[in-house]
Amino acid sequence: MKEDNRMLKFVYSVFLGILLAVFVGVGVATFYPGPKPVEFPTTLNNIGKEPSPYQLEIQNNFEAKMAQHNKDMMPYNRNVSVIVLSAAVVLLVLGLIFERKIMVLSEGVTLGGLFSLIYGIGRGFASQDTKYSFLAVTIGLIIVLYLGYHRFVKSHGATAKK
């Protein structure tokens, strides 16, 4: 019976973590929408071996719009990364706060923070700014090292002294 309860707590923690990361991602997409995607012109669906001058003009126009869209996405991805990394830090702090009170919530919130951290770092890579990506990875590494120390080393030291 106790084994079933531990497994249920584990599944709950993982599910809560995933749901929190999705919540952060959907929240950002809802309240900070990205640049509008460029629609593929239907005229280009039926290009034969030799496109007409009209089709070439449409294709060149489409490619220029796509290039601009990709350029616009770079700062957007960086900004989303900053927002998500901030949310991840908040979730990780909440996980530490709940650590002694409600362990199953603490584990789920911490997992949500870690999943959000991964997502935020990924969006940082999408910004194609290597200095920002390095900063995001550095922040993630520091957070994970601190969290690992706090959860596994410091807490074991406290229980060993008792």
PDB file of all heavy atoms in Angstrom, residues 1-39:
ATOM      1  N   MET A   1       0.829  -1.202   0.000  1.00  0.00           N
ATOM      2  CA  MET A   1       0.000   0.000   0.000  1.00  0.00           C
ATOM      3  C   MET A   1       0.870   1.262   0.000  1.00  0.00           C
ATOM      4  O   MET A   1       0.586   2.196  -0.708  1.00  0.00           O
ATOM      5  CB  MET A   1      -0.927  -0.039   1.232  1.00  0.00           C
ATOM      6  CG  MET A   1      -1.968   1.033   1.224  1.00  0.00           C
ATOM      7  SD  MET A   1      -3.171   0.722  -0.070  1.00  0.00           S
ATOM      8  CE  MET A   1      -4.518   1.623   0.516  1.00  0.00           C
ATOM      9  N   LYS A   2       1.929   1.232   0.807  1.00  0.00           N
ATOM     10  CA  LYS A   2       2.811   2.384   0.897  1.00  0.00           C
ATOM     11  C   LYS A   2       3.532   2.614  -0.432  1.00  0.00           C
ATOM     12  O   LYS A   2       3.793   3.735  -0.827  1.00  0.00           O
ATOM     13  CB  LYS A   2       3.807   2.177   2.028  1.00  0.00           C
ATOM     14  CG  LYS A   2       4.349   3.448   2.570  1.00  0.00           C
ATOM     15  CD  LYS A   2       5.078   3.206   3.866  1.00  0.00           C
ATOM     16  CE  LYS A   2       5.115   4.528   4.593  1.00  0.00           C
ATOM     17  NZ  LYS A   2       5.428   4.455   5.964  1.00  0.00           N
ATOM     18  N   GLU A   3       3.893   1.526  -1.128  1.00  0.00           N
ATOM     19  CA  GLU A   3       4.545   1.601  -2.437  1.00  0.00           C
ATOM     20  C   GLU A   3       3.642   2.298  -3.453  1.00  0.00           C
ATOM     21  O   GLU A   3       4.096   3.131  -4.243  1.00  0.00           O
ATOM     22  CB  GLU A   3       4.904   0.190  -2.919  1.00  0.00           C
ATOM     23  CG  GLU A   3       5.572   0.141  -4.263  1.00  0.00           C
ATOM     24  CD  GLU A   3       7.020   0.615  -4.219  1.00  0.00           C
ATOM     25  OE1 GLU A   3       7.646   0.526  -3.151  1.00  0.00           O
ATOM     26  OE2 GLU A   3       7.505   1.069  -5.251  1.00  0.00           O
ATOM     27  N   ASP A   4       2.335   1.978  -3.445  1.00  0.00           N
ATOM     28  CA  ASP A   4       1.372   2.622  -4.349  1.00  0.00           C
ATOM     29  C   ASP A   4       1.284   4.109  -4.080  1.00  0.00           C
ATOM     30  O   ASP A   4       1.200   4.916  -5.000  1.00  0.00           O
ATOM     31  CB  ASP A   4      -0.023   1.998  -4.196  1.00  0.00           C
ATOM     32  CG  ASP A   4      -0.083   0.571  -4.716  1.00  0.00           C
ATOM     33  OD1 ASP A   4       0.798   0.209  -5.530  1.00  0.00           O
ATOM     34  OD2 ASP A   4      -0.988  -0.170  -4.307  1.00  0.00           O
ATOM     35  N   ASN A   5       1.317   4.476  -2.794  1.00  0.00           N
ATOM     36  CA  ASN A   5       1.228   5.884  -2.410  1.00  0.00           C
ATOM     37  C   ASN A   5       2.460   6.653  -2.898  1.00  0.00           C
ATOM     38  O   ASN A   5       2.350   7.778  -3.385  1.00  0.00           O
ATOM     39  CB  ASN A   5       1.071   5.988  -0.893  1.00  0.00           C
ATOM     40  CG  ASN A   5       0.578   7.355  -0.474  1.00  0.00           C
ATOM     41  OD1 ASN A   5       0.037   8.102  -1.280  1.00  0.00           O
ATOM     42  ND2 ASN A   5       0.777   7.672   0.783  1.00  0.00           N
ATOM     43  N   ARG A   6       3.648   6.061  -2.783  1.00  0.00           N
ATOM     44  CA  ARG A   6       4.869   6.716  -3.265  1.00  0.00           C
ATOM     45  C   ARG A   6       4.836   6.888  -4.775  1.00  0.00           C
ATOM     46  O   ARG A   6       5.250   7.913  -5.305  1.00  0.00           O
ATOM     47  CB  ARG A   6       6.108   5.921  -2.850  1.00  0.00           C
ATOM     48  CG  ARG A   6       6.500   6.150  -1.428  1.00  0.00           C
ATOM     49  CD  ARG A   6       7.909   5.714  -1.121  1.00  0.00           C
ATOM     50  NE  ARG A   6       8.346   4.567  -1.898  1.00  0.00           N
ATOM     51  CZ  ARG A   6       9.038   3.558  -1.415  1.00  0.00           C
ATOM     52  NH1 ARG A   6       9.352   3.539  -0.148  1.00  0.00           N
ATOM     53  NH2 ARG A   6       9.426   2.573  -2.179  1.00  0.00           N
ATOM     54  N   MET A   7       4.347   5.864  -5.464  1.00  0.00           N
ATOM     55  CA  MET A   7       4.262   5.942  -6.924  1.00  0.00           C
ATOM     56  C   MET A   7       3.263   7.024  -7.337  1.00  0.00           C
ATOM     57  O   MET A   7       3.527   7.788  -8.280  1.00  0.00           O
ATOM     58  CB  MET A   7       3.850   4.585  -7.506  1.00  0.00           C
ATOM     59  CG  MET A   7       3.839   4.582  -9.004  1.00  0.00           C
ATOM     60  SD  MET A   7       5.476   4.992  -9.623  1.00  0.00           S
ATOM     61  CE  MET A   7       5.529   4.010 -11.054  1.00  0.00           C
ATOM     62  N   LEU A   8       2.151   7.107  -6.654  1.00  0.00           N
ATOM     63  CA  LEU A   8       1.154   8.132  -6.953  1.00  0.00           C
ATOM     64  C   LEU A   8       1.715   9.527  -6.701  1.00  0.00           C
ATOM     65  O   LEU A   8       1.503  10.451  -7.504  1.00  0.00           O
ATOM     66  CB  LEU A   8      -0.116   7.909  -6.130  1.00  0.00           C
ATOM     67  CG  LEU A   8      -1.286   8.845  -6.407  1.00  0.00           C
ATOM     68  CD1 LEU A   8      -1.724   8.729  -7.860  1.00  0.00           C
ATOM     69  CD2 LEU A   8      -2.442   8.540  -5.483  1.00  0.00           C
ATOM     70  N   LYS A   9       2.461   9.701  -5.631  1.00  0.00           N
ATOM     71  CA  LYS A   9       3.088  10.988  -5.340  1.00  0.00           C
ATOM     72  C   LYS A   9       4.100  11.355  -6.430  1.00  0.00           C
ATOM     73  O   LYS A   9       4.187  12.505  -6.850  1.00  0.00           O
ATOM     74  CB  LYS A   9       3.776  10.975  -3.978  1.00  0.00           C
ATOM     75  CG  LYS A   9       2.814  11.041  -2.818  1.00  0.00           C
ATOM     76  CD  LYS A   9       3.563  11.032  -1.504  1.00  0.00           C
ATOM     77  CE  LYS A   9       2.608  11.115  -0.331  1.00  0.00           C
ATOM     78  NZ  LYS A   9       3.318  11.116   0.963  1.00  0.00           N
ATOM     79  N   PHE A  10       4.867  10.362  -6.886  1.00  0.00           N
ATOM     80  CA  PHE A  10       5.844  10.592  -7.954  1.00  0.00           C
ATOM     81  C   PHE A  10       5.137  11.033  -9.243  1.00  0.00           C
ATOM     82  O   PHE A  10       5.526  12.031  -9.862  1.00  0.00           O
ATOM     83  CB  PHE A  10       6.658   9.320  -8.203  1.00  0.00           C
ATOM     84  CG  PHE A  10       7.532   9.406  -9.422  1.00  0.00           C
ATOM     85  CD1 PHE A  10       8.718  10.131  -9.390  1.00  0.00           C
ATOM     86  CD2 PHE A  10       7.170   8.772 -10.602  1.00  0.00           C
ATOM     87  CE1 PHE A  10       9.523  10.216 -10.515  1.00  0.00           C
ATOM     88  CE2 PHE A  10       7.966   8.858 -11.722  1.00  0.00           C
ATOM     89  CZ  PHE A  10       9.151   9.585 -11.685  1.00  0.00           C
ATOM     90  N   VAL A  11       4.103  10.304  -9.618  1.00  0.00           N
ATOM     91  CA  VAL A  11       3.354  10.643 -10.837  1.00  0.00           C
ATOM     92  C   VAL A  11       2.731  12.026 -10.698  1.00  0.00           C
ATOM     93  O   VAL A  11       2.770  12.840 -11.636  1.00  0.00           O
ATOM     94  CB  VAL A  11       2.277   9.571 -11.134  1.00  0.00           C
ATOM     95  CG1 VAL A  11       1.340  10.021 -12.247  1.00  0.00           C
ATOM     96  CG2 VAL A  11       2.948   8.253 -11.509  1.00  0.00           C
ATOM     97  N   TYR A  12       2.179  12.321  -9.538  1.00  0.00           N
ATOM     98  CA  TYR A  12       1.585  13.640  -9.298  1.00  0.00           C
ATOM     99  C   TYR A  12       2.629  14.741  -9.434  1.00  0.00           C
ATOM    100  O   TYR A  12       2.382  15.764 -10.063  1.00  0.00           O
ATOM    101  CB  TYR A  12       0.944  13.685  -7.902  1.00  0.00           C
ATOM    102  CG  TYR A  12       0.412  15.052  -7.554  1.00  0.00           C
ATOM    103  CD1 TYR A  12      -0.824  15.478  -8.037  1.00  0.00           C
ATOM    104  CD2 TYR A  12       1.151  15.932  -6.766  1.00  0.00           C
ATOM    105  CE1 TYR A  12      -1.299  16.745  -7.744  1.00  0.00           C
ATOM    106  CE2 TYR A  12       0.677  17.194  -6.471  1.00  0.00           C
ATOM    107  CZ  TYR A  12      -0.551  17.595  -6.964  1.00  0.00           C
ATOM    108  OH  TYR A  12      -1.014  18.855  -6.675  1.00  0.00           O
ATOM    109  N   SER A  13       3.801  14.534  -8.846  1.00  0.00           N
ATOM    110  CA  SER A  13       4.860  15.544  -8.912  1.00  0.00           C
ATOM    111  C   SER A  13       5.296  15.798 -10.350  1.00  0.00           C
ATOM    112  O   SER A  13       5.462  16.948 -10.766  1.00  0.00           O
ATOM    113  CB  SER A  13       6.072  15.110  -8.086  1.00  0.00           C
ATOM    114  OG  SER A  13       5.743  15.065  -6.732  1.00  0.00           O
ATOM    115  N   VAL A  14       5.485  14.731 -11.105  1.00  0.00           N
ATOM    116  CA  VAL A  14       5.895  14.885 -12.517  1.00  0.00           C
ATOM    117  C   VAL A  14       4.789  15.589 -13.310  1.00  0.00           C
ATOM    118  O   VAL A  14       5.060  16.512 -14.090  1.00  0.00           O
ATOM    119  CB  VAL A  14       6.246  13.520 -13.144  1.00  0.00           C
ATOM    120  CG1 VAL A  14       6.458  13.638 -14.645  1.00  0.00           C
ATOM    121  CG2 VAL A  14       7.487  12.941 -12.480  1.00  0.00           C
ATOM    122  N   PHE A  15       3.551  15.182 -13.112  1.00  0.00           N
ATOM    123  CA  PHE A  15       2.437  15.800 -13.827  1.00  0.00           C
ATOM    124  C   PHE A  15       2.314  17.282 -13.461  1.00  0.00           C
ATOM    125  O   PHE A  15       2.122  18.126 -14.333  1.00  0.00           O
ATOM    126  CB  PHE A  15       1.124  15.067 -13.522  1.00  0.00           C
ATOM    127  CG  PHE A  15      -0.053  15.628 -14.270  1.00  0.00           C
ATOM    128  CD1 PHE A  15      -0.176  15.445 -15.631  1.00  0.00           C
ATOM    129  CD2 PHE A  15      -1.024  16.363 -13.606  1.00  0.00           C
ATOM    130  CE1 PHE A  15      -1.246  15.973 -16.324  1.00  0.00           C
ATOM    131  CE2 PHE A  15      -2.097  16.904 -14.292  1.00  0.00           C
ATOM    132  CZ  PHE A  15      -2.218  16.698 -15.660  1.00  0.00           C
ATOM    133  N   LEU A  16       2.446  17.611 -12.181  1.00  0.00           N
ATOM    134  CA  LEU A  16       2.391  18.999 -11.753  1.00  0.00           C
ATOM    135  C   LEU A  16       3.518  19.801 -12.400  1.00  0.00           C
ATOM    136  O   LEU A  16       3.303  20.922 -12.872  1.00  0.00           O
ATOM    137  CB  LEU A  16       2.473  19.100 -10.225  1.00  0.00           C
ATOM    138  CG  LEU A  16       2.484  20.510  -9.629  1.00  0.00           C
ATOM    139  CD1 LEU A  16       1.211  21.283 -10.011  1.00  0.00           C
ATOM    140  CD2 LEU A  16       2.640  20.434  -8.110  1.00  0.00           C
ATOM    141  N   GLY A  17       4.710  19.217 -12.450  1.00  0.00           N
ATOM    142  CA  GLY A  17       5.842  19.897 -13.072  1.00  0.00           C
ATOM    143  C   GLY A  17       5.600  20.186 -14.544  1.00  0.00           C
ATOM    144  O   GLY A  17       5.849  21.293 -15.032  1.00  0.00           O
ATOM    145  N   ILE A  18       5.113  19.192 -15.258  1.00  0.00           N
ATOM    146  CA  ILE A  18       4.821  19.379 -16.689  1.00  0.00           C
ATOM    147  C   ILE A  18       3.738  20.422 -16.873  1.00  0.00           C
ATOM    148  O   ILE A  18       3.850  21.313 -17.724  1.00  0.00           O
ATOM    149  CB  ILE A  18       4.414  18.034 -17.339  1.00  0.00           C
ATOM    150  CG1 ILE A  18       5.623  17.092 -17.380  1.00  0.00           C
ATOM    151  CG2 ILE A  18       3.843  18.244 -18.740  1.00  0.00           C
ATOM    152  CD1 ILE A  18       5.274  15.665 -17.757  1.00  0.00           C
ATOM    153  N   LEU A  19       2.688  20.327 -16.068  1.00  0.00           N
ATOM    154  CA  LEU A  19       1.574  21.274 -16.189  1.00  0.00           C
ATOM    155  C   LEU A  19       2.014  22.705 -15.880  1.00  0.00           C
ATOM    156  O   LEU A  19       1.596  23.651 -16.561  1.00  0.00           O
ATOM    157  CB  LEU A  19       0.430  20.851 -15.268  1.00  0.00           C
ATOM    158  CG  LEU A  19      -0.940  21.447 -15.551  1.00  0.00           C
ATOM    159  CD1 LEU A  19      -1.374  21.159 -16.982  1.00  0.00           C
ATOM    160  CD2 LEU A  19      -1.958  20.891 -14.582  1.00  0.00           C
ATOM    161  N   LEU A  20       2.883  22.889 -14.898  1.00  0.00           N
ATOM    162  CA  LEU A  20       3.385  24.234 -14.590  1.00  0.00           C
ATOM    163  C   LEU A  20       4.222  24.790 -15.734  1.00  0.00           C
ATOM    164  O   LEU A  20       4.113  25.971 -16.079  1.00  0.00           O
ATOM    165  CB  LEU A  20       4.192  24.222 -13.294  1.00  0.00           C
ATOM    166  CG  LEU A  20       3.378  24.201 -12.015  1.00  0.00           C
ATOM    167  CD1 LEU A  20       4.280  23.944 -10.815  1.00  0.00           C
ATOM    168  CD2 LEU A  20       2.613  25.493 -11.836  1.00  0.00           C
ATOM    169  N   ALA A  21       5.059  23.950 -16.349  1.00  0.00           N
ATOM    170  CA  ALA A  21       5.871  24.408 -17.479  1.00  0.00           C
ATOM    171  C   ALA A  21       4.980  24.783 -18.662  1.00  0.00           C
ATOM    172  O   ALA A  21       5.205  25.804 -19.326  1.00  0.00           O
ATOM    173  CB  ALA A  21       6.875  23.331 -17.877  1.00  0.00           C
ATOM    174  N   VAL A  22       3.950  23.981 -18.913  1.00  0.00           N
ATOM    175  CA  VAL A  22       2.998  24.304 -19.991  1.00  0.00           C
ATOM    176  C   VAL A  22       2.253  25.594 -19.661  1.00  0.00           C
ATOM    177  O   VAL A  22       2.042  26.446 -20.530  1.00  0.00           O
ATOM    178  CB  VAL A  22       2.020  23.127 -20.229  1.00  0.00           C
ATOM    179  CG1 VAL A  22       0.896  23.523 -21.161  1.00  0.00           C
ATOM    180  CG2 VAL A  22       2.776  21.925 -20.789  1.00  0.00           C
ATOM    181  N   PHE A  23       1.882  25.759 -18.399  1.00  0.00           N
ATOM    182  CA  PHE A  23       1.209  26.977 -17.945  1.00  0.00           C
ATOM    183  C   PHE A  23       2.064  28.203 -18.235  1.00  0.00           C
ATOM    184  O   PHE A  23       1.572  29.214 -18.746  1.00  0.00           O
ATOM    185  CB  PHE A  23       0.906  26.861 -16.446  1.00  0.00           C
ATOM    186  CG  PHE A  23       0.308  28.092 -15.841  1.00  0.00           C
ATOM    187  CD1 PHE A  23      -1.037  28.388 -16.016  1.00  0.00           C
ATOM    188  CD2 PHE A  23       1.087  28.954 -15.067  1.00  0.00           C
ATOM    189  CE1 PHE A  23      -1.588  29.527 -15.448  1.00  0.00           C
ATOM    190  CE2 PHE A  23       0.534  30.089 -14.503  1.00  0.00           C
ATOM    191  CZ  PHE A  23      -0.804  30.377 -14.696  1.00  0.00           C
ATOM    192  N   VAL A  24       3.352  28.121 -17.920  1.00  0.00           N
ATOM    193  CA  VAL A  24       4.259  29.241 -18.187  1.00  0.00           C
ATOM    194  C   VAL A  24       4.335  29.512 -19.685  1.00  0.00           C
ATOM    195  O   VAL A  24       4.206  30.662 -20.130  1.00  0.00           O
ATOM    196  CB  VAL A  24       5.663  28.960 -17.603  1.00  0.00           C
ATOM    197  CG1 VAL A  24       6.683  29.972 -18.098  1.00  0.00           C
ATOM    198  CG2 VAL A  24       5.619  28.967 -16.082  1.00  0.00           C
ATOM    199  N   GLY A  25       4.523  28.473 -20.483  1.00  0.00           N
ATOM    200  CA  GLY A  25       4.633  28.642 -21.932  1.00  0.00           C
ATOM    201  C   GLY A  25       3.375  29.209 -22.561  1.00  0.00           C
ATOM    202  O   GLY A  25       3.435  30.139 -23.379  1.00  0.00           O
ATOM    203  N   VAL A  26       2.226  28.682 -22.182  1.00  0.00           N
ATOM    204  CA  VAL A  26       0.951  29.175 -22.724  1.00  0.00           C
ATOM    205  C   VAL A  26       0.681  30.591 -22.225  1.00  0.00           C
ATOM    206  O   VAL A  26       0.171  31.433 -22.976  1.00  0.00           O
ATOM    207  CB  VAL A  26      -0.206  28.209 -22.369  1.00  0.00           C
ATOM    208  CG1 VAL A  26      -1.555  28.799 -22.730  1.00  0.00           C
ATOM    209  CG2 VAL A  26      -0.014  26.878 -23.082  1.00  0.00           C
ATOM    210  N   GLY A  27       1.028  30.865 -20.989  1.00  0.00           N
ATOM    211  CA  GLY A  27       0.846  32.216 -20.456  1.00  0.00           C
ATOM    212  C   GLY A  27       1.648  33.242 -21.228  1.00  0.00           C
ATOM    213  O   GLY A  27       1.142  34.315 -21.573  1.00  0.00           O
ATOM    214  N   VAL A  28       2.888  32.911 -21.525  1.00  0.00           N
ATOM    215  CA  VAL A  28       3.717  33.838 -22.302  1.00  0.00           C
ATOM    216  C   VAL A  28       3.137  34.017 -23.697  1.00  0.00           C
ATOM    217  O   VAL A  28       3.028  35.144 -24.195  1.00  0.00           O
ATOM    218  CB  VAL A  28       5.183  33.335 -22.374  1.00  0.00           C
ATOM    219  CG1 VAL A  28       5.992  34.159 -23.359  1.00  0.00           C
ATOM    220  CG2 VAL A  28       5.829  33.383 -20.999  1.00  0.00           C
ATOM    221  N   ALA A  29       2.744  32.925 -24.341  1.00  0.00           N
ATOM    222  CA  ALA A  29       2.178  33.024 -25.692  1.00  0.00           C
ATOM    223  C   ALA A  29       0.875  33.822 -25.697  1.00  0.00           C
ATOM    224  O   ALA A  29       0.577  34.521 -26.669  1.00  0.00           O
ATOM    225  CB  ALA A  29       1.935  31.624 -26.263  1.00  0.00           C
ATOM    226  N   THR A  30       0.110  33.746 -24.613  1.00  0.00           N
ATOM    227  CA  THR A  30      -1.164  34.456 -24.537  1.00  0.00           C
ATOM    228  C   THR A  30      -0.974  35.948 -24.314  1.00  0.00           C
ATOM    229  O   THR A  30      -1.601  36.766 -24.983  1.00  0.00           O
ATOM    230  CB  THR A  30      -2.028  33.876 -23.391  1.00  0.00           C
ATOM    231  OG1 THR A  30      -2.248  32.492 -23.653  1.00  0.00           O
ATOM    232  CG2 THR A  30      -3.349  34.601 -23.282  1.00  0.00           C
ATOM    233  N   PHE A  31      -0.102  36.301 -23.392  1.00  0.00           N
ATOM    234  CA  PHE A  31       0.036  37.704 -23.017  1.00  0.00           C
ATOM    235  C   PHE A  31       1.193  38.417 -23.702  1.00  0.00           C
ATOM    236  O   PHE A  31       1.332  39.632 -23.573  1.00  0.00           O
ATOM    237  CB  PHE A  31       0.157  37.824 -21.492  1.00  0.00           C
ATOM    238  CG  PHE A  31      -1.083  37.345 -20.785  1.00  0.00           C
ATOM    239  CD1 PHE A  31      -1.095  36.132 -20.110  1.00  0.00           C
ATOM    240  CD2 PHE A  31      -2.247  38.091 -20.830  1.00  0.00           C
ATOM    241  CE1 PHE A  31      -2.240  35.678 -19.475  1.00  0.00           C
ATOM    242  CE2 PHE A  31      -3.400  37.652 -20.198  1.00  0.00           C
ATOM    243  CZ  PHE A  31      -3.397  36.444 -19.522  1.00  0.00           C
ATOM    244  N   TYR A  32       2.021  37.685 -24.418  1.00  0.00           N
ATOM    245  CA  TYR A  32       3.114  38.289 -25.180  1.00  0.00           C
ATOM    246  C   TYR A  32       3.230  37.553 -26.517  1.00  0.00           C
ATOM    247  O   TYR A  32       4.147  36.770 -26.747  1.00  0.00           O
ATOM    248  CB  TYR A  32       4.424  38.202 -24.387  1.00  0.00           C
ATOM    249  CG  TYR A  32       5.601  38.873 -25.057  1.00  0.00           C
ATOM    250  CD1 TYR A  32       5.543  40.211 -25.451  1.00  0.00           C
ATOM    251  CD2 TYR A  32       6.770  38.174 -25.294  1.00  0.00           C
ATOM    252  CE1 TYR A  32       6.623  40.822 -26.059  1.00  0.00           C
ATOM    253  CE2 TYR A  32       7.867  38.780 -25.897  1.00  0.00           C
ATOM    254  CZ  TYR A  32       7.784  40.102 -26.278  1.00  0.00           C
ATOM    255  OH  TYR A  32       8.854  40.710 -26.891  1.00  0.00           O
ATOM    256  N   PRO A  33       2.244  37.786 -27.397  1.00  0.00           N
ATOM    257  CA  PRO A  33       2.244  37.053 -28.675  1.00  0.00           C
ATOM    258  C   PRO A  33       3.415  37.468 -29.552  1.00  0.00           C
ATOM    259  O   PRO A  33       3.890  38.600 -29.495  1.00  0.00           O
ATOM    260  CB  PRO A  33       0.905  37.434 -29.303  1.00  0.00           C
ATOM    261  CG  PRO A  33       0.488  38.690 -28.636  1.00  0.00           C
ATOM    262  CD  PRO A  33       1.123  38.700 -27.282  1.00  0.00           C
ATOM    263  N   GLY A  34       3.863  36.522 -30.339  1.00  0.00           N
ATOM    264  CA  GLY A  34       4.996  36.756 -31.233  1.00  0.00           C
ATOM    265  C   GLY A  34       4.581  37.447 -32.516  1.00  0.00           C
ATOM    266  O   GLY A  34       3.395  37.707 -32.760  1.00  0.00           O
ATOM    267  N   PRO A  35       5.579  37.756 -33.340  1.00  0.00           N
ATOM    268  CA  PRO A  35       5.286  38.340 -34.645  1.00  0.00           C
ATOM    269  C   PRO A  35       4.380  37.416 -35.444  1.00  0.00           C
ATOM    270  O   PRO A  35       4.503  36.191 -35.370  1.00  0.00           O
ATOM    271  CB  PRO A  35       6.667  38.462 -35.303  1.00  0.00           C
ATOM    272  CG  PRO A  35       7.647  38.419 -34.188  1.00  0.00           C
ATOM    273  CD  PRO A  35       7.019  37.591 -33.110  1.00  0.00           C
ATOM    274  N   LYS A  36       3.480  38.011 -36.186  1.00  0.00           N
ATOM    275  CA  LYS A  36       2.532  37.225 -36.964  1.00  0.00           C
ATOM    276  C   LYS A  36       3.273  36.432 -38.036  1.00  0.00           C
ATOM    277  O   LYS A  36       4.095  36.983 -38.767  1.00  0.00           O
ATOM    278  CB  LYS A  36       1.501  38.150 -37.614  1.00  0.00           C
ATOM    279  CG  LYS A  36       0.385  37.417 -38.298  1.00  0.00           C
ATOM    280  CD  LYS A  36      -0.659  38.360 -38.849  1.00  0.00           C
ATOM    281  CE  LYS A  36      -1.710  37.538 -39.577  1.00  0.00           C
ATOM    282  NZ  LYS A  36      -2.641  38.345 -40.297  1.00  0.00           N
ATOM    283  N   PRO A  37       3.001  35.115 -38.130  1.00  0.00           N
ATOM    284  CA  PRO A  37       3.696  34.315 -39.137  1.00  0.00           C
ATOM    285  C   PRO A  37       3.284  34.718 -40.559  1.00  0.00           C
ATOM    286  O   PRO A  37       2.181  35.194 -40.794  1.00  0.00           O
ATOM    287  CB  PRO A  37       3.264  32.878 -38.835  1.00  0.00           C
ATOM    288  CG  PRO A  37       2.170  32.949 -37.851  1.00  0.00           C
ATOM    289  CD  PRO A  37       2.101  34.335 -37.300  1.00  0.00           C
ATOM    290  N   VAL A  38       4.191  34.493 -41.482  1.00  0.00           N
ATOM    291  CA  VAL A  38       3.946  34.813 -42.884  1.00  0.00           C
ATOM    292  C   VAL A  38       3.240  33.621 -43.520  1.00  0.00           C
ATOM    293  O   VAL A  38       3.665  32.477 -43.355  1.00  0.00           O
ATOM    294  CB  VAL A  38       5.281  35.085 -43.620  1.00  0.00           C
ATOM    295  CG1 VAL A  38       5.041  35.393 -45.076  1.00  0.00           C
ATOM    296  CG2 VAL A  38       6.042  36.205 -42.937  1.00  0.00           C
ATOM    297  N   GLU A  39       2.151  33.902 -44.212  1.00  0.00           N
ATOM    298  CA  GLU A  39       1.408  32.826 -44.872  1.00  0.00           C
ATOM    299  C   GLU A  39       2.014  32.528 -46.234  1.00  0.00           C
ATOM    300  O   GLU A  39       2.381  33.438 -46.978  1.00  0.00           O
ATOM    301  CB  GLU A  39      -0.064  33.213 -45.030  1.00  0.00           C
ATOM    302  CG  GLU A  39      -0.808  33.257 -43.715  1.00  0.00           C
ATOM    303  CD  GLU A  39      -2.292  33.480 -43.898  1.00  0.00           C
ATOM    304  OE1 GLU A  39      -2.858  32.993 -44.905  1.00  0.00           O
ATOM    305  OE2 GLU A  39      -2.870  34.145 -43.042  1.00  0.00           O
TER     306      GLU A  39
END
